[in-house]
Amino acid sequence: AQSVSQHNHHVILSEAASLELGCNYSYGGTVNLFWYVQYPGQHLQLLLKYFSGDPLVKGIKGFEAEFIKSKFSFNLRKPSVQWSDTAEYFCAVSGGSYIPTFGRGTSLIVHP
Amino acid sequence: DSGVTQTPKHLITATGQRVTLRCSPRSGDLSVYWYQQSLDQGLQFLIQYYNGEERAKGNILERFSAQQFPDLHSELNLSSLELGDSALYFCASSTIPTYEQFFGPGTRLTVL
């Protein structure tokens, strides 16, 4: 089986601050990794994904994530957040034939 | 717009009642997933169908059932509704079960 852990449940930042959201997973084999974002009142949308290749993945809206296999981690980063980044962020992992498992989510509030 | 449609957008009903939520996946997607999202439980995976067959089950109550029809649309049936069933219900679809999911706009269910 697989599982996902998002360490930060709530993050509050000021505009222009840097962001890093932690995501760790447990699965022994090859994995596909995802970050989704849910803006207030909206549905989940894919921010970025990693299947293979360069472990540094760039997504939409200036987000990036780094896959570190030895640490079973896929942390999400953004160098300078904006008020419009206020949202819930979900990490998800799928390994083998398993469908993606989602983490509990991290609520990000960015103050202008 | 993800290409996944859900109806209705809002549903208000009383305890003990039965409701049906409908989902049409993106064109070409064979996998459909149902999720329940509430403030206290977060995003909970309920059930997955692939090309008409049930493939995976999550935290789905016995009062809930789902099916996927030959045209690939899916319905989630919730019966003997309780106050605690009030939540957002999302449908998602994907081409391959381990790939990224595309989420619909959700159905907000309120049980009074």
Side-chain angles (χ1 to χ4, degrees), chain A residues 97-109:
Chain A
S97 60
Y98 290 103
I99 63 171
T101 298
F102 283 79
R104 287 274 310 189
T106 296
S107 171
L108 171 66
I109 296 175

Side-chain angles (χ1 to χ4, degrees), chain A residues 36 38 43 49 94 98 100 104, chain B residues 37 41 97-98 100-101 104:
Chain A
Y36 288 81
Q38 184 179 26
H43 59 282
K49 62 186 178 187
S94 68
Y98 290 103
R104 287 274 310 189
Chain B
Q37 186 178 40
Q41 295 288 327
T98 56
E100 67 264 38
Q101 298 177 12

Side-chain angles (χ1 to χ4, degrees), chain B:
Chain B
D1 183 4
S2 66
V4 178
T5 61
Q6 288 186 250
T7 56
K9 285 189 79 169
H10 302 276
L11 200 47
I12 302 174
T13 188
T15 53
Q17 295 299 303
R18 173 190 167 93
V19 297
T20 297
L21 312 184
R22 183 188 168 104
C23 167
S24 292
R26 285 190 326 155
S27 177
D29 284 357
L30 299 179
S31 257
V32 169
Y33 313 78
W34 285 98
Y35 293 87
Q36 179 193 60
Q37 186 178 40
S38 59
L39 279 174
D40 55 342
Q41 295 288 327
L43 188 69
Q44 298 278 315
F45 166 66
L46 295 177
I47 197 165
Q48 179 216 0
Y49 278 82
Y50 181 80
N51 203 20
E53 290 188 9
E54 181 187 303
R55 279 295 181 92
K57 248 180 175 176
N59 300 321
I60 188 165
L61 300 171
E62 284 193 16
R63 300 183 284 109
F64 296 0
S65 65
Q67 53 185 327
Q68 186 179 27
F69 295 87
D71 66 353
L72 300 178
H73 91 271
S74 178
E75 293 180 357
L76 179 67
N77 300 296
L78 316 176
S79 60
S80 303
L81 285 167
E82 302 175 357
L83 295 177
D85 298 328
S86 295
L88 259 173
Y89 290 85
F90 285 109
C91 167
S93 73
S94 69
T95 50
I96 296 173
T98 56
Y99 280 22
E100 67 264 38
Q101 298 177 12
F102 294 85
F103 284 77
T107 292
R108 181 170 293 282
L109 174 67
T110 302
V111 182
L112 301 175

